[in-house]
Amino acid sequence: MYSSTASQQQCWQGVEIDGNRVSITFSAPAVPSDTLVVDNVALRTSETSLLRTFEGAVRVKIIRNEIQESSGHAYVSFDSIEAAKSAYNAMKGVKMDGQKLFINFQKHPVDPSDTLVVRNLSSGTSESSLLREFEGAVDVRIWKNKNDTFLGYASISFDTIEAAKSAYNTMNGVEIDGKKLYIHFDRDPQKTRAYRKIARERNEDGRRN
């Protein structure tokens, strides 16, 4: 049995099932915005085909790893919230290239917090180098699944929200180890700190065993 929902997420995050990597997040009710987040995108699905399939879309970005493989996660943007709502209603649950799409509205803007989520990391980037690059950072966690597989993102905590805002303004879009960073504020830093504690305890148990 799992001791908490957080431990369930940490156990399954990034695990592959039938060739697809599991990605788990805690979701709040959808609030319409002009950008859709599309998950479970097939590897062979292209940005062009998404642009063609999502009526009214003006821009599509598929998030890829350092060898340009699709992460199965895409952002589809529209000229207006109404256009995004129409596409959301038309496409939610639709299959594309054999895979059922999971769609939600991108949650933005996000209220600043004392923790940043840094995405699109190079596999060669270390926690110590991020601690060095992000001025004022007090803790860094590069996330891996239970098989120690690199997931491409990190959580970076600061003593204050102001310090996190300063780092966000300085580092968002900067390249580290050849990869452009995509940064946003963590919506629930306390929960993230709980995940970090679980992950570190699991790593320590593994080393002892």
Side-chain angles (χ1 to χ4, degrees):
M1 295 293 291
Y2 298 100
S3 59
S4 67
T5 303
S7 62
Q8 291 183 53
Q9 189 205 35
Q10 227 18 72
C11 181
W12 288 101
Q13 185 75 273
V15 173
E16 286 196 1
I17 298 177
D18 295 334
N20 290 318
R21 180 168 288 174
V22 174
S23 177
I24 302 172
T25 57
F26 295 95
S27 298
V31 176
S33 68
D34 62 3
T35 300
L36 298 179
V37 180
V38 184
D39 283 307
N40 203 39
V41 176
L43 290 176
R44 66 178 181 272
T45 299
S46 67
E47 291 175 345
T48 301
S49 62
L50 284 171
L51 193 63
R52 190 169 56 242
T53 302
F54 280 77
E55 186 175 351
V58 295
R59 186 171 58 257
V60 173
K61 174 67 174 178
I62 293 176
I63 304 303
R64 301 180 183 276
N65 62 21
E66 65 249 32
I67 59 173
Q68 294 304 300
E69 290 178 332
S70 170
S71 67
H73 183 85
Y75 294 95
V76 182
S77 298
F78 299 80
D79 277 334
S80 67
I81 292 175
E82 287 305 313
K85 286 168 66 176
S86 178
Y88 173 86
N89 292 330
M91 295 299 296
K92 190 175 183 182
V94 167
K95 279 189 176 183
M96 188 170 178
D97 292 330
Q99 294 191 188
K100 182 179 179 180
L101 302 179
F102 298 100
I103 304 174
N104 209 335
F105 294 98
Q106 185 180 24
K107 302 179 181 73
H108 65 78
V110 177
D111 289 335
S113 69
D114 64 4
T115 300
L116 300 178
V117 179
V118 182
R119 299 187 181 275
N120 202 40
L121 289 177
S122 164
S123 59
T125 300
S126 66
E127 291 178 346
S128 59
S129 66
L130 288 174
L131 197 61
R132 207 164 44 240
E133 294 285 349
F134 280 76
E135 186 175 351
V138 295
D139 188 54
V140 174
R141 174 72 183 180
I142 291 177
W143 293 99
K144 299 180 180 181
N145 67 12
K146 66 177 184 179
N147 298 318
D148 207 36
T149 300
F150 174 70
L151 297 177
Y153 71 98
S155 298
I156 303 181
S157 296
F158 299 80
D159 277 333
T160 65
I161 292 175
E162 287 304 313
K165 286 168 66 177
S166 177
Y168 172 86
N169 292 331
T170 301
M171 297 300 294
N172 194 26
V174 169
E175 283 195 7
I176 293 182
D177 296 327
K179 300 295 292 292
K180 183 178 180 179
L181 304 183
Y182 297 99
I183 303 173
H184 62 82
F185 292 99
D186 194 328
R187 293 181 177 85
D188 195 341
Q190 290 185 337
K191 191 171 288 182
T192 297
R193 284 191 279 272
Y195 298 158
R196 281 204 296 259
K197 182 179 179 183
I198 291 167
R200 288 201 169 105
E201 287 174 350
R202 190 176 62 209
N203 289 342
E204 289 170 3
D205 288 343
R207 285 194 292 269
R208 283 196 292 268
N209 294 333

